[in-house]
Amino acid sequence: MNKQQLAAKIWATADTLRSKIEAYEYKDYILGLMFYMFLSQKEESFLFEQGWDESTLSEFDQDEDTVEMVRQSLGYCINYQDLFSSWLRAMQTSQNAALAPFSVDSVSKAISAFSRSVHPVHKAIFDNIFDSLSNGLSKLGETTGAQTKSLKGIINIIKDIPLNEEQGYDVLGFVYEYLISHFAAGAGKKAGEFYTPHEVSELMAKIVAYHLKNRSEVKIYDPTSGSGSLLITMGKSLEQYKIDRDNIRYFAQELKSNTYNLTRMNLVMRDIAPGNIEVRNADTLESDWPFVETKQEGKVTGMEPVRVDAVVSNPPYSQVWDDTNKINDPRFAGFGVAPKSKADFAFLLHDLYHLDTDGIMTIVLPHGVLFRGGEEGKIRETLVKHNHIDAIIGLPANIFFGTGIPTIIMVLKRKRAERDILMVDASLSFVKEGNKNRLRAQDIQKVVDVVINRSDVPKFSRAVALEEIERNGYNLNLTRYVSSAPESEHWDLAGLTLGQLPVSELQQLHGLQFFPELQHRLFTAVDSGSEDHAEEPSATYLALTDELKTPRNSYDLAAFLKQQFVQANEVQAHKASYLEHVATFLEYFRAQLSSKSLQESIGDIKLQQQLPELKQALFTQMVHSNDGQPLFIVEPYDAYQRLYDCVQVISGDLEILQSEGIAALNQVDDLTESQNKNGTLTTKVIGQDGRVLPLSLIKQHCCQEQMAMIAQTEQRIAEIDAEAQSLLESLSEDDKEQYFMGEVLSEEGDAWAKSGLTKVLKNKDFKSELKKLPALNQVLTTASKLFQEQNQLSKGLKGASAELEKQAQKVLQSMSTSEALTLLESKWFSPLQAQLEALFDHEIDRAAQELAELVVKYQVTPSAIEQEITKSNRALSEMLSELTGDSAAMKGINELKQLLQL
């Protein structure tokens, strides 16, 4: 399986196994043991490189020179009996002369021995790194036996993670990050202490990496590192610009010890050289860091701050801090000291202080820093006057764990040429998942493109001159400058009175600018006739054609307008051109994926690295080259999201094929689910599917006859339910009430019919009465035959479906490589093509709906309403005139007629 599937399986198993242990605590066990497994495997690989093998490995720790060489090379040395592989052997072998039985004591003793083995040079990286794991072992059970059982369960979960060379380390790092994110989701407010959502990290990293893309060496720093996810994402983004990973130095500082351990584990587990990692467990605001000692004639004469190329941080929001004597702190000199109740600007100024002259920083902050007064207002003013703020990005609310408040990313530089600040409102750029909001790939890419190009996009971004900000009293609140929020409802009085559409409102609708001929066919241009407003754009109106004057609700009108769109030659030509451009891009995509035959090149494809080029190729087909405006009604970033999703699918398949070989195309795997029975983890097979090629694809392409027969059977089963409903409806209401005894009469649909008739059929008391009730007897007899047929069909369907499943498996397992590769390409490209084509139809639907709502808004004039009221009153009066009664009644009727003013 690929790393995404593996991570999901490990999480599901771990979540089942942890039982009543809080996710926030359980992460320390599984992540700690994963890291220990990584260190063990790294040591074994090193020893094998030095000439040791499986037969002699058990003796290496008896040689002092070897132990010292390991310590100096790796920074630690794990004894043979404490290696993760030794634990596995001890767990699998009941009697092993070389190894003691595995128990919770095995882990405790191993951690103690590891701490003693750490080399002084690498003490900052490894010292006490397993404290969270060691201190929490007692919570795994009330007895040592229960604790041992829990540990075995965790070890069995993680033992299958590959650790072979670069790809294995990438998988391990991915699984580690995946688990951290899922533990964060279940940790509530505590999650904010250790995790920044990957999407936010990626957005920050992409902006920073672009700025540093031409550097040969880079230093990056996170002063509130949490789990280290920001730094890791930053490093991966830099590597995409071909910056050698050995030339990237990481600086991280974290206050909380257990979270500090996560940072160290995460960095080391990415196989970053220990010499490139500088970490510190301390309070960033109370103790400035990083710094270097200045020496003269071998003596330390002082400290100088380390200046880095990039700072990325997500500090705690509006935290209380100790501002005592901070006025003399060089980090805040010239700016001021943040108030005691809110440390946001203290963190920002610390980051800026450690930024090199040509560096860049991104920091996540609450919205309040943009407009709060007092000392914060003075600091903000100074930052603007010194031209340090490059961009402000408003993020959606509720995207962080532990808080739902809206936040911003502020981008700052020490030196920059622009005399403006780019304001970006991405607050509506998200998709809702569960109770959280999440940035999509298209949202991230759009913001990155806007920031890099400093683009002005209506209702999204604007470069605001510093002079304008000065006129606003250095208030940086985004809504003063740009807002993506929908405008409040506007009603044009002349349009309402005349039943005409204001052109100004029509121009704001989605997509209509692409179809001027259609607009001319649906509307007639008129002038308001008002001299006062003749020069204003809003003075021009459009009269509705007779087709649009017919009163309809917005739903029916949208259906009518969609038909007008679809039938218009202009729209058809627009769609044909769009599909041509899609086809051109897909041809390019296929060529990039495989310049030779897919089988020959599959091991060389690195699709994730090609994503920027693929995005550029897509946009070449989707936007004007001169101004970047869309060529078609389809939003280019919507198309990019489909491309991104496709790339993830292809990358997952390539990962399997590159690690397991082309034979994986023919493999069928059991689908399992984990169950926790009294602390013992068991797995249950719930089905089968292809490892790379899904069985549903095999059925679709290779088992069409069987699929058609099954579809026909399913259709007949559905028809029987409909026929049962019709039978029930043929009875009178009295019969239904009397003979169904009120049962299920409140239900509706086919299920109601079947349930009601079935209950009657099973009621023995009715059999003697049926001869007296021929109508009911006929209904029940017919229904009985129908249900017998349906039961037989359902049994046959179950057998046919099982047989189809077996046949699909056989077809897949016996399929030639050439056939399998052809299906693989279909799996990759057919959905992408269908999704890109469907985007056009979706946008046409949207345009028709928006236009329908506007037409309905102005369709009925006040005079028309008045005429309708008069007509209704006249009709009512005529009906009243036909009524007769005594004098009192007639008096009331006459009074009512007078009220109607007729």
mmCIF file with all atom_site columns, all heavy atoms in Angstrom, residues 699 703-717 796-797 799-805:
data_model
loop_
_atom_site.group_PDB
_atom_site.id
_atom_site.type_symbol
_atom_site.label_atom_id
_atom_site.label_alt_id
_atom_site.label_comp_id
_atom_site.label_asym_id
_atom_site.label_entity_id
_atom_site.label_seq_id
_atom_site.pdbx_PDB_ins_code
_atom_site.Cartn_x
_atom_site.Cartn_y
_atom_site.Cartn_z
_atom_site.occupancy
_atom_site.B_iso_or_equiv
_atom_site.pdbx_formal_charge
_atom_site.auth_seq_id
_atom_site.auth_comp_id
_atom_site.auth_asym_id
_atom_site.auth_atom_id
_atom_site.pdbx_PDB_model_num
ATOM 1   N N   . LYS A 1 699 ? -14.424 -4.592  -13.239 1.00 0.00 ? 699 LYS A N   1
ATOM 2   C CA  . LYS A 1 699 ? -15.808 -4.952  -13.595 1.00 0.00 ? 699 LYS A CA  1
ATOM 3   C C   . LYS A 1 699 ? -16.325 -4.067  -14.723 1.00 0.00 ? 699 LYS A C   1
ATOM 4   O O   . LYS A 1 699 ? -16.975 -4.540  -15.661 1.00 0.00 ? 699 LYS A O   1
ATOM 5   C CB  . LYS A 1 699 ? -16.707 -4.803  -12.365 1.00 0.00 ? 699 LYS A CB  1
ATOM 6   C CG  . LYS A 1 699 ? -16.367 -5.732  -11.212 1.00 0.00 ? 699 LYS A CG  1
ATOM 7   C CD  . LYS A 1 699 ? -17.185 -5.355  -9.976  1.00 0.00 ? 699 LYS A CD  1
ATOM 8   C CE  . LYS A 1 699 ? -16.719 -6.103  -8.753  1.00 0.00 ? 699 LYS A CE  1
ATOM 9   N NZ  . LYS A 1 699 ? -17.435 -5.667  -7.524  1.00 0.00 ? 699 LYS A NZ  1
ATOM 10  N N   . CYS A 1 703 ? -16.043 -6.935  -17.397 1.00 0.00 ? 703 CYS A N   1
ATOM 11  C CA  . CYS A 1 703 ? -17.170 -7.801  -17.019 1.00 0.00 ? 703 CYS A CA  1
ATOM 12  C C   . CYS A 1 703 ? -18.488 -7.103  -17.332 1.00 0.00 ? 703 CYS A C   1
ATOM 13  O O   . CYS A 1 703 ? -19.421 -7.098  -16.523 1.00 0.00 ? 703 CYS A O   1
ATOM 14  C CB  . CYS A 1 703 ? -17.103 -8.152  -15.526 1.00 0.00 ? 703 CYS A CB  1
ATOM 15  S SG  . CYS A 1 703 ? -15.522 -8.809  -14.957 1.00 0.00 ? 703 CYS A SG  1
ATOM 16  N N   . GLN A 1 704 ? -18.576 -6.544  -18.541 1.00 0.00 ? 704 GLN A N   1
ATOM 17  C CA  . GLN A 1 704 ? -19.752 -5.713  -18.850 1.00 0.00 ? 704 GLN A CA  1
ATOM 18  C C   . GLN A 1 704 ? -21.044 -6.523  -18.913 1.00 0.00 ? 704 GLN A C   1
ATOM 19  O O   . GLN A 1 704 ? -22.100 -6.055  -18.499 1.00 0.00 ? 704 GLN A O   1
ATOM 20  C CB  . GLN A 1 704 ? -19.536 -4.988  -20.189 1.00 0.00 ? 704 GLN A CB  1
ATOM 21  C CG  . GLN A 1 704 ? -18.519 -3.862  -20.046 1.00 0.00 ? 704 GLN A CG  1
ATOM 22  C CD  . GLN A 1 704 ? -17.461 -3.912  -21.139 1.00 0.00 ? 704 GLN A CD  1
ATOM 23  O OE1 . GLN A 1 704 ? -17.270 -4.943  -21.773 1.00 0.00 ? 704 GLN A OE1 1
ATOM 24  N NE2 . GLN A 1 704 ? -16.780 -2.825  -21.339 1.00 0.00 ? 704 GLN A NE2 1
ATOM 25  N N   . GLU A 1 705 ? -20.976 -7.749  -19.441 1.00 0.00 ? 705 GLU A N   1
ATOM 26  C CA  . GLU A 1 705 ? -22.186 -8.564  -19.564 1.00 0.00 ? 705 GLU A CA  1
ATOM 27  C C   . GLU A 1 705 ? -22.771 -8.870  -18.192 1.00 0.00 ? 705 GLU A C   1
ATOM 28  O O   . GLU A 1 705 ? -23.980 -8.733  -17.975 1.00 0.00 ? 705 GLU A O   1
ATOM 29  C CB  . GLU A 1 705 ? -21.846 -9.858  -20.302 1.00 0.00 ? 705 GLU A CB  1
ATOM 30  C CG  . GLU A 1 705 ? -23.073 -10.715 -20.592 1.00 0.00 ? 705 GLU A CG  1
ATOM 31  C CD  . GLU A 1 705 ? -22.725 -11.946 -21.406 1.00 0.00 ? 705 GLU A CD  1
ATOM 32  O OE1 . GLU A 1 705 ? -21.639 -11.968 -22.032 1.00 0.00 ? 705 GLU A OE1 1
ATOM 33  O OE2 . GLU A 1 705 ? -23.534 -12.890 -21.415 1.00 0.00 ? 705 GLU A OE2 1
ATOM 34  N N   . GLN A 1 706 ? -21.918 -9.295  -17.259 1.00 0.00 ? 706 GLN A N   1
ATOM 35  C CA  . GLN A 1 706 ? -22.396 -9.595  -15.910 1.00 0.00 ? 706 GLN A CA  1
ATOM 36  C C   . GLN A 1 706 ? -22.908 -8.333  -15.217 1.00 0.00 ? 706 GLN A C   1
ATOM 37  O O   . GLN A 1 706 ? -23.914 -8.384  -14.492 1.00 0.00 ? 706 GLN A O   1
ATOM 38  C CB  . GLN A 1 706 ? -21.273 -10.225 -15.072 1.00 0.00 ? 706 GLN A CB  1
ATOM 39  C CG  . GLN A 1 706 ? -20.825 -11.590 -15.569 1.00 0.00 ? 706 GLN A CG  1
ATOM 40  C CD  . GLN A 1 706 ? -19.742 -11.489 -16.623 1.00 0.00 ? 706 GLN A CD  1
ATOM 41  O OE1 . GLN A 1 706 ? -19.606 -10.452 -17.296 1.00 0.00 ? 706 GLN A OE1 1
ATOM 42  N NE2 . GLN A 1 706 ? -18.971 -12.555 -16.775 1.00 0.00 ? 706 GLN A NE2 1
ATOM 43  N N   . MET A 1 707 ? -22.226 -7.230  -15.453 1.00 0.00 ? 707 MET A N   1
ATOM 44  C CA  . MET A 1 707 ? -22.661 -5.960  -14.853 1.00 0.00 ? 707 MET A CA  1
ATOM 45  C C   . MET A 1 707 ? -24.041 -5.562  -15.360 1.00 0.00 ? 707 MET A C   1
ATOM 46  O O   . MET A 1 707 ? -24.892 -5.089  -14.601 1.00 0.00 ? 707 MET A O   1
ATOM 47  C CB  . MET A 1 707 ? -21.649 -4.861  -15.175 1.00 0.00 ? 707 MET A CB  1
ATOM 48  C CG  . MET A 1 707 ? -20.316 -4.996  -14.461 1.00 0.00 ? 707 MET A CG  1
ATOM 49  S SD  . MET A 1 707 ? -20.376 -4.429  -12.759 1.00 0.00 ? 707 MET A SD  1
ATOM 50  C CE  . MET A 1 707 ? -20.429 -2.650  -13.008 1.00 0.00 ? 707 MET A CE  1
ATOM 51  N N   . ALA A 1 708 ? -24.287 -5.797  -16.658 1.00 0.00 ? 708 ALA A N   1
ATOM 52  C CA  . ALA A 1 708 ? -25.581 -5.446  -17.242 1.00 0.00 ? 708 ALA A CA  1
ATOM 53  C C   . ALA A 1 708 ? -26.693 -6.304  -16.653 1.00 0.00 ? 708 ALA A C   1
ATOM 54  O O   . ALA A 1 708 ? -27.798 -5.819  -16.362 1.00 0.00 ? 708 ALA A O   1
ATOM 55  C CB  . ALA A 1 708 ? -25.527 -5.605  -18.755 1.00 0.00 ? 708 ALA A CB  1
ATOM 56  N N   . MET A 1 709 ? -26.413 -7.606  -16.459 1.00 0.00 ? 709 MET A N   1
ATOM 57  C CA  . MET A 1 709 ? -27.420 -8.501  -15.882 1.00 0.00 ? 709 MET A CA  1
ATOM 58  C C   . MET A 1 709 ? -27.752 -8.103  -14.450 1.00 0.00 ? 709 MET A C   1
ATOM 59  O O   . MET A 1 709 ? -28.931 -8.108  -14.047 1.00 0.00 ? 709 MET A O   1
ATOM 60  C CB  . MET A 1 709 ? -26.914 -9.952  -15.928 1.00 0.00 ? 709 MET A CB  1
ATOM 61  C CG  . MET A 1 709 ? -26.794 -10.518 -17.336 1.00 0.00 ? 709 MET A CG  1
ATOM 62  S SD  . MET A 1 709 ? -26.124 -12.204 -17.353 1.00 0.00 ? 709 MET A SD  1
ATOM 63  C CE  . MET A 1 709 ? -27.360 -13.060 -16.379 1.00 0.00 ? 709 MET A CE  1
ATOM 64  N N   . ILE A 1 710 ? -26.732 -7.739  -13.687 1.00 0.00 ? 710 ILE A N   1
ATOM 65  C CA  . ILE A 1 710 ? -26.957 -7.312  -12.301 1.00 0.00 ? 710 ILE A CA  1
ATOM 66  C C   . ILE A 1 710 ? -27.755 -6.012  -12.274 1.00 0.00 ? 710 ILE A C   1
ATOM 67  O O   . ILE A 1 710 ? -28.677 -5.846  -11.464 1.00 0.00 ? 710 ILE A O   1
ATOM 68  C CB  . ILE A 1 710 ? -25.607 -7.163  -11.575 1.00 0.00 ? 710 ILE A CB  1
ATOM 69  C CG1 . ILE A 1 710 ? -25.022 -8.544  -11.291 1.00 0.00 ? 710 ILE A CG1 1
ATOM 70  C CG2 . ILE A 1 710 ? -25.761 -6.369  -10.286 1.00 0.00 ? 710 ILE A CG2 1
ATOM 71  C CD1 . ILE A 1 710 ? -23.642 -8.521  -10.674 1.00 0.00 ? 710 ILE A CD1 1
ATOM 72  N N   . ALA A 1 711 ? -27.427 -5.108  -13.183 1.00 0.00 ? 711 ALA A N   1
ATOM 73  C CA  . ALA A 1 711 ? -28.160 -3.834  -13.234 1.00 0.00 ? 711 ALA A CA  1
ATOM 74  C C   . ALA A 1 711 ? -29.623 -4.073  -13.584 1.00 0.00 ? 711 ALA A C   1
ATOM 75  O O   . ALA A 1 711 ? -30.533 -3.428  -13.045 1.00 0.00 ? 711 ALA A O   1
ATOM 76  C CB  . ALA A 1 711 ? -27.515 -2.907  -14.255 1.00 0.00 ? 711 ALA A CB  1
ATOM 77  N N   . GLN A 1 712 ? -29.861 -5.027  -14.508 1.00 0.00 ? 712 GLN A N   1
ATOM 78  C CA  . GLN A 1 712 ? -31.232 -5.346  -14.891 1.00 0.00 ? 712 GLN A CA  1
ATOM 79  C C   . GLN A 1 712 ? -32.006 -5.930  -13.708 1.00 0.00 ? 712 GLN A C   1
ATOM 80  O O   . GLN A 1 712 ? -33.174 -5.602  -13.489 1.00 0.00 ? 712 GLN A O   1
ATOM 81  C CB  . GLN A 1 712 ? -31.212 -6.344  -16.056 1.00 0.00 ? 712 GLN A CB  1
ATOM 82  C CG  . GLN A 1 712 ? -32.577 -6.645  -16.646 1.00 0.00 ? 712 GLN A CG  1
ATOM 83  C CD  . GLN A 1 712 ? -32.487 -7.574  -17.841 1.00 0.00 ? 712 GLN A CD  1
ATOM 84  O OE1 . GLN A 1 712 ? -31.399 -8.002  -18.225 1.00 0.00 ? 712 GLN A OE1 1
ATOM 85  N NE2 . GLN A 1 712 ? -33.617 -7.898  -18.426 1.00 0.00 ? 712 GLN A NE2 1
ATOM 86  N N   . THR A 1 713 ? -31.348 -6.794  -12.930 1.00 0.00 ? 713 THR A N   1
ATOM 87  C CA  . THR A 1 713 ? -31.992 -7.373  -11.750 1.00 0.00 ? 713 THR A CA  1
ATOM 88  C C   . THR A 1 713 ? -32.307 -6.300  -10.712 1.00 0.00 ? 713 THR A C   1
ATOM 89  O O   . THR A 1 713 ? -33.397 -6.280  -10.127 1.00 0.00 ? 713 THR A O   1
ATOM 90  C CB  . THR A 1 713 ? -31.081 -8.441  -11.125 1.00 0.00 ? 713 THR A CB  1
ATOM 91  O OG1 . THR A 1 713 ? -30.793 -9.450  -12.100 1.00 0.00 ? 713 THR A OG1 1
ATOM 92  C CG2 . THR A 1 713 ? -31.748 -9.091  -9.921  1.00 0.00 ? 713 THR A CG2 1
ATOM 93  N N   . GLU A 1 714 ? -31.368 -5.413  -10.488 1.00 0.00 ? 714 GLU A N   1
ATOM 94  C CA  . GLU A 1 714 ? -31.597 -4.330  -9.524  1.00 0.00 ? 714 GLU A CA  1
ATOM 95  C C   . GLU A 1 714 ? -32.758 -3.438  -9.962  1.00 0.00 ? 714 GLU A C   1
ATOM 96  O O   . GLU A 1 714 ? -33.547 -2.981  -9.133  1.00 0.00 ? 714 GLU A O   1
ATOM 97  C CB  . GLU A 1 714 ? -30.312 -3.507  -9.370  1.00 0.00 ? 714 GLU A CB  1
ATOM 98  C CG  . GLU A 1 714 ? -29.199 -4.262  -8.655  1.00 0.00 ? 714 GLU A CG  1
ATOM 99  C CD  . GLU A 1 714 ? -27.885 -3.502  -8.649  1.00 0.00 ? 714 GLU A CD  1
ATOM 100 O OE1 . GLU A 1 714 ? -27.703 -2.633  -9.540  1.00 0.00 ? 714 GLU A OE1 1
ATOM 101 O OE2 . GLU A 1 714 ? -27.042 -3.769  -7.785  1.00 0.00 ? 714 GLU A OE2 1
ATOM 102 N N   . GLN A 1 715 ? -32.856 -3.214  -11.263 1.00 0.00 ? 715 GLN A N   1
ATOM 103 C CA  . GLN A 1 715 ? -33.951 -2.397  -11.775 1.00 0.00 ? 715 GLN A CA  1
ATOM 104 C C   . GLN A 1 715 ? -35.293 -3.078  -11.534 1.00 0.00 ? 715 GLN A C   1
ATOM 105 O O   . GLN A 1 715 ? -36.272 -2.437  -11.149 1.00 0.00 ? 715 GLN A O   1
ATOM 106 C CB  . GLN A 1 715 ? -33.748 -2.124  -13.264 1.00 0.00 ? 715 GLN A CB  1
ATOM 107 C CG  . GLN A 1 715 ? -34.844 -1.237  -13.873 1.00 0.00 ? 715 GLN A CG  1
ATOM 108 C CD  . GLN A 1 715 ? -34.610 -0.971  -15.346 1.00 0.00 ? 715 GLN A CD  1
ATOM 109 O OE1 . GLN A 1 715 ? -33.591 -1.370  -15.900 1.00 0.00 ? 715 GLN A OE1 1
ATOM 110 N NE2 . GLN A 1 715 ? -35.554 -0.311  -15.981 1.00 0.00 ? 715 GLN A NE2 1
ATOM 111 N N   . ARG A 1 716 ? -35.347 -4.395  -11.772 1.00 0.00 ? 716 ARG A N   1
ATOM 112 C CA  . ARG A 1 716 ? -36.606 -5.123  -11.564 1.00 0.00 ? 716 ARG A CA  1
ATOM 113 C C   . ARG A 1 716 ? -37.001 -5.120  -10.087 1.00 0.00 ? 716 ARG A C   1
ATOM 114 O O   . ARG A 1 716 ? -38.182 -4.975  -9.754  1.00 0.00 ? 716 ARG A O   1
ATOM 115 C CB  . ARG A 1 716 ? -36.452 -6.566  -12.067 1.00 0.00 ? 716 ARG A CB  1
ATOM 116 C CG  . ARG A 1 716 ? -37.691 -7.441  -11.834 1.00 0.00 ? 716 ARG A CG  1
ATOM 117 C CD  . ARG A 1 716 ? -38.935 -6.824  -12.426 1.00 0.00 ? 716 ARG A CD  1
ATOM 118 N NE  . ARG A 1 716 ? -40.150 -7.534  -12.030 1.00 0.00 ? 716 ARG A NE  1
ATOM 119 C CZ  . ARG A 1 716 ? -41.360 -6.979  -12.001 1.00 0.00 ? 716 ARG A CZ  1
ATOM 120 N NH1 . ARG A 1 716 ? -41.509 -5.694  -12.337 1.00 0.00 ? 716 ARG A NH1 1
ATOM 121 N NH2 . ARG A 1 716 ? -42.403 -7.689  -11.626 1.00 0.00 ? 716 ARG A NH2 1
ATOM 122 N N   . ILE A 1 717 ? -36.040 -5.242  -9.173  1.00 0.00 ? 717 ILE A N   1
ATOM 123 C CA  . ILE A 1 717 ? -36.326 -5.188  -7.744  1.00 0.00 ? 717 ILE A CA  1
ATOM 124 C C   . ILE A 1 717 ? -36.939 -3.844  -7.374  1.00 0.00 ? 717 ILE A C   1
ATOM 125 O O   . ILE A 1 717 ? -37.900 -3.759  -6.603  1.00 0.00 ? 717 ILE A O   1
ATOM 126 C CB  . ILE A 1 717 ? -35.039 -5.452  -6.928  1.00 0.00 ? 717 ILE A CB  1
ATOM 127 C CG1 . ILE A 1 717 ? -34.621 -6.919  -7.072  1.00 0.00 ? 717 ILE A CG1 1
ATOM 128 C CG2 . ILE A 1 717 ? -35.234 -5.100  -5.455  1.00 0.00 ? 717 ILE A CG2 1
ATOM 129 C CD1 . ILE A 1 717 ? -33.281 -7.254  -6.445  1.00 0.00 ? 717 ILE A CD1 1
ATOM 130 N N   . GLY A 1 796 ? -30.769 -14.220 -5.886  1.00 0.00 ? 796 GLY A N   1
ATOM 131 C CA  . GLY A 1 796 ? -29.963 -14.383 -7.097  1.00 0.00 ? 796 GLY A CA  1
ATOM 132 C C   . GLY A 1 796 ? -28.961 -13.257 -7.275  1.00 0.00 ? 796 GLY A C   1
ATOM 133 O O   . GLY A 1 796 ? -27.836 -13.472 -7.723  1.00 0.00 ? 796 GLY A O   1
ATOM 134 N N   . LEU A 1 797 ? -29.387 -12.037 -6.904  1.00 0.00 ? 797 LEU A N   1
ATOM 135 C CA  . LEU A 1 797 ? -28.500 -10.873 -7.014  1.00 0.00 ? 797 LEU A CA  1
ATOM 136 C C   . LEU A 1 797 ? -27.296 -11.021 -6.102  1.00 0.00 ? 797 LEU A C   1
ATOM 137 O O   . LEU A 1 797 ? -26.168 -10.706 -6.490  1.00 0.00 ? 797 LEU A O   1
ATOM 138 C CB  . LEU A 1 797 ? -29.274 -9.605  -6.655  1.00 0.00 ? 797 LEU A CB  1
ATOM 139 C CG  . LEU A 1 797 ? -28.483 -8.297  -6.694  1.00 0.00 ? 797 LEU A CG  1
ATOM 140 C CD1 . LEU A 1 797 ? -27.986 -8.009  -8.108  1.00 0.00 ? 797 LEU A CD1 1
ATOM 141 C CD2 . LEU A 1 797 ? -29.349 -7.136  -6.201  1.00 0.00 ? 797 LEU A CD2 1
ATOM 142 N N   . GLY A 1 799 ? -25.925 -13.811 -5.085  1.00 0.00 ? 799 GLY A N   1
ATOM 143 C CA  . GLY A 1 799 ? -25.020 -14.809 -5.661  1.00 0.00 ? 799 GLY A CA  1
ATOM 144 C C   . GLY A 1 799 ? -24.291 -14.279 -6.876  1.00 0.00 ? 799 GLY A C   1
ATOM 145 O O   . GLY A 1 799 ? -23.093 -14.516 -7.052  1.00 0.00 ? 799 GLY A O   1
ATOM 146 N N   . ALA A 1 800 ? -25.022 -13.533 -7.725  1.00 0.00 ? 800 ALA A N   1
ATOM 147 C CA  . ALA A 1 800 ? -24.402 -12.979 -8.939  1.00 0.00 ? 800 ALA A CA  1
ATOM 148 C C   . ALA A 1 800 ? -23.325 -11.965 -8.590  1.00 0.00 ? 800 ALA A C   1
ATOM 149 O O   . ALA A 1 800 ? -22.272 -11.900 -9.243  1.00 0.00 ? 800 ALA A O   1
ATOM 150 C CB  . ALA A 1 800 ? -25.467 -12.340 -9.824  1.00 0.00 ? 800 ALA A CB  1
ATOM 151 N N   . SER A 1 801 ? -23.588 -11.167 -7.562  1.00 0.00 ? 801 SER A N   1
ATOM 152 C CA  . SER A 1 801 ? -22.603 -10.158 -7.140  1.00 0.00 ? 801 SER A CA  1
ATOM 153 C C   . SER A 1 801 ? -21.349 -10.829 -6.608  1.00 0.00 ? 801 SER A C   1
ATOM 154 O O   . SER A 1 801 ? -20.221 -10.396 -6.894  1.00 0.00 ? 801 SER A O   1
ATOM 155 C CB  . SER A 1 801 ? -23.215 -9.251  -6.074  1.00 0.00 ? 801 SER A CB  1
ATOM 156 O OG  . SER A 1 801 ? -24.322 -8.544  -6.585  1.00 0.00 ? 801 SER A OG  1
ATOM 157 N N   . ALA A 1 802 ? -21.531 -11.910 -5.825  1.00 0.00 ? 802 ALA A N   1
ATOM 158 C CA  . ALA A 1 802 ? -20.377 -12.639 -5.295  1.00 0.00 ? 802 ALA A CA  1
ATOM 159 C C   . ALA A 1 802 ? -19.585 -13.286 -6.424  1.00 0.00 ? 802 ALA A C   1
ATOM 160 O O   . ALA A 1 802 ? -18.347 -13.278 -6.421  1.00 0.00 ? 802 ALA A O   1
ATOM 161 C CB  . ALA A 1 802 ? -20.843 -13.695 -4.293  1.00 0.00 ? 802 ALA A CB  1
ATOM 162 N N   . GLU A 1 803 ? -20.292 -13.845 -7.410  1.00 0.00 ? 803 GLU A N   1
ATOM 163 C CA  . GLU A 1 803 ? -19.618 -14.477 -8.548  1.00 0.00 ? 803 GLU A CA  1
ATOM 164 C C   . GLU A 1 803 ? -18.872 -13.436 -9.381  1.00 0.00 ? 803 GLU A C   1
ATOM 165 O O   . GLU A 1 803 ? -17.753 -13.679 -9.855  1.00 0.00 ? 803 GLU A O   1
ATOM 166 C CB  . GLU A 1 803 ? -20.654 -15.196 -9.417  1.00 0.00 ? 803 GLU A CB  1
ATOM 167 C CG  . GLU A 1 803 ? -20.056 -16.004 -10.550 1.00 0.00 ? 803 GLU A CG  1
ATOM 168 C CD  . GLU A 1 803 ? -19.115 -17.097 -10.068 1.00 0.00 ? 803 GLU A CD  1
ATOM 169 O OE1 . GLU A 1 803 ? -19.364 -17.671 -8.985  1.00 0.00 ? 803 GLU A OE1 1
ATOM 170 O OE2 . GLU A 1 803 ? -18.128 -17.383 -10.783 1.00 0.00 ? 803 GLU A OE2 1
ATOM 171 N N   . LEU A 1 804 ? -19.485 -12.246 -9.550  1.00 0.00 ? 804 LEU A N   1
ATOM 172 C CA  . LEU A 1 804 ? -18.822 -11.157 -10.282 1.00 0.00 ? 804 LEU A CA  1
ATOM 173 C C   . LEU A 1 804 ? -17.555 -10.729 -9.565  1.00 0.00 ? 804 LEU A C   1
ATOM 174 O O   . LEU A 1 804 ? -16.529 -10.455 -10.202 1.00 0.00 ? 804 LEU A O   1
ATOM 175 C CB  . LEU A 1 804 ? -19.775 -9.975  -10.424 1.00 0.00 ? 804 LEU A CB  1
ATOM 176 C CG  . LEU A 1 804 ? -19.203 -8.710  -11.080 1.00 0.00 ? 804 LEU A CG  1
ATOM 177 C CD1 . LEU A 1 804 ? -18.747 -9.006  -12.518 1.00 0.00 ? 804 LEU A CD1 1
ATOM 178 C CD2 . LEU A 1 804 ? -20.242 -7.588  -11.077 1.00 0.00 ? 804 LEU A CD2 1
ATOM 179 N N   . GLU A 1 805 ? -17.612 -10.683 -8.247  1.00 0.00 ? 805 GLU A N   1
ATOM 180 C CA  . GLU A 1 805 ? -16.434 -10.302 -7.460  1.00 0.00 ? 805 GLU A CA  1
ATOM 181 C C   . GLU A 1 805 ? -15.304 -11.298 -7.695  1.00 0.00 ? 805 GLU A C   1
ATOM 182 O O   . GLU A 1 805 ? -14.142 -10.910 -7.910  1.00 0.00 ? 805 GLU A O   1
ATOM 183 C CB  . GLU A 1 805 ? -16.810 -10.262 -5.976  1.00 0.00 ? 805 GLU A CB  1
ATOM 184 C CG  . GLU A 1 805 ? -15.810 -9.565  -5.087  1.00 0.00 ? 805 GLU A CG  1
ATOM 185 C CD  . GLU A 1 805 ? -15.881 -8.054  -5.197  1.00 0.00 ? 805 GLU A CD  1
ATOM 186 O OE1 . GLU A 1 805 ? -16.848 -7.527  -5.797  1.00 0.00 ? 805 GLU A OE1 1
ATOM 187 O OE2 . GLU A 1 805 ? -14.960 -7.388  -4.690  1.00 0.00 ? 805 GLU A OE2 1
#
